Amino acid sequence: MPERSALQRAGTVNTRSGTGRALAGLCAALVFGMVPLGKWLAPGVSLPHLLVREGLWWTYAAVLLAWLHFAEKLPLSSIGLRRVTWKSFVFALLAAFVSIAIMGVQFSIVIPRLHLDASQVLAQQRALLALPYWLRGLLVLRAGVVEEILFRGYLMEKIRQLTGSIALAVLVSVAAFTFAHLAGWGWVQFIPVAAIGLLFALLYAGRRDLPSNMLGHFLTDAAGFLTR
């Protein structure tokens, strides 16, 4: 009996420890994704400042993956990082197609019909398209890889682990993703960004295939910033 009680206490401690680490990682993912630390640390628009901010994004992802492996003792597959299959490509292409269609409807129908002020969106687009092509490529690659780790794979799995609710995981993922994009693109983009966030959150929830999400996200952004 004493040995059994000791084992039960040890299991409780391990469970609490695992929960605490998951919660800490979740908080870190939210801070990394939603708090503009890069703009505070490197607020300029020069090439060095942009590169510093991009490096910081990659650092966020590396820190979370290191925390997952060394602190939580979980494999990368626990956040959907697994071998790519032909289905990964198919679902990525479908997600990119739907995302591009959403943006097309926004710019060709919603904004003109409702006479919305799209000046901030257009200014952001012009600023990005004015960057060197290689830098745009890095931005698109980073968005596809890092944002999917932060807002989908890691964030959604930790919420599911802590609450057991995939619906809540989807909701928080969409909210965090949308909020993170409003500062740069403005409120006129609220609905399309939220819709795309929901699309990729549901894609991850249904397949738990993070590379598929990454490729779909990359193709979506590439269509806007690497084809001109």
Side-chain angles (χ1 to χ4, degrees):
M1 288 297 291
E3 291 182 3
R4 185 175 180 182
S5 299
L7 288 173
Q8 290 175 336
R9 288 195 299 271
T12 301
V13 170
N14 289 336
T15 300
R16 289 175 180 173
S17 177
T19 299
R21 290 168 183 164
L23 183 59
L26 173 61
C27 292
L30 289 172
V31 170
F32 292 160
M34 298 171 63
V35 178
L37 299 176
K39 290 186 178 181
W40 294 346
L41 296 174
V45 295
S46 66
L47 183 58
H49 285 88
L50 289 173
L51 291 176
V52 167
R53 292 202 291 270
E54 288 305 297
L56 200 56
W57 278 108
W58 286 104
T59 300
Y60 296 159
V63 167
L64 280 183
L65 294 181
W67 181 263
L68 180 75
H69 180 73
F70 294 107
E72 298 185 56
K73 309 294 185 184
L74 294 174
L76 296 180
S77 59
S78 68
I79 61 167
L81 279 169
R82 52 192 178 90
R83 185 171 60 87
V84 176
T85 67
W86 66 269
K87 289 184 179 180
S88 302
F89 290 99
V90 170
F91 280 96
L93 289 170
L94 289 174
F97 177 81
V98 174
S99 298
I100 294 167
I102 290 171
M103 296 307 299
V105 169
Q106 171 73 354
F107 281 97
S108 63
I109 299 177
V110 177
I111 289 177
R113 293 281 179 87
L114 298 181
H115 305 288
L116 300 176
D117 181 9
S119 57
Q120 184 176 350
V121 177
L122 295 175
Q124 182 78 344
Q125 283 184 330
R126 286 193 295 269
L128 289 173
L129 291 173
L131 296 174
Y133 192 84
W134 65 267
L135 182 53
R136 277 185 274 154
L138 289 179
L139 291 172
V140 170
L141 178 63
R142 183 269 302 163
V145 174
V146 176
E147 289 182 14
E148 290 305 316
I149 291 174
L150 291 179
F151 295 116
R152 252 70 71 174
Y154 192 89
L155 186 149
M156 290 181 64
E157 291 295 350
K158 293 305 108 176
I159 293 176
R160 175 155 50 181
Q161 178 182 340
L162 291 167
T163 69
S165 173
I166 188 59
L168 181 60
V170 169
L171 179 63
V172 174
S173 172
V174 173
F177 180 78
T178 304
F179 178 83
H181 285 76
L182 290 182
W185 295 98
W187 284 96
V188 72
Q189 287 293 85
F190 175 82
I191 292 178
V193 171
I196 291 172
L198 177 61
L199 172 67
F200 280 101
L202 291 175
L203 175 61
Y204 181 81
R207 303 201 71 249
R208 296 188 73 241
D209 182 358
L210 199 59
S212 183
N213 273 61
M214 290 175 174
L215 180 58
H217 194 149
F218 173 85
L219 293 173
T220 299
D221 289 348
F225 301 113
L226 298 182
T227 57
R228 314 184 201 183

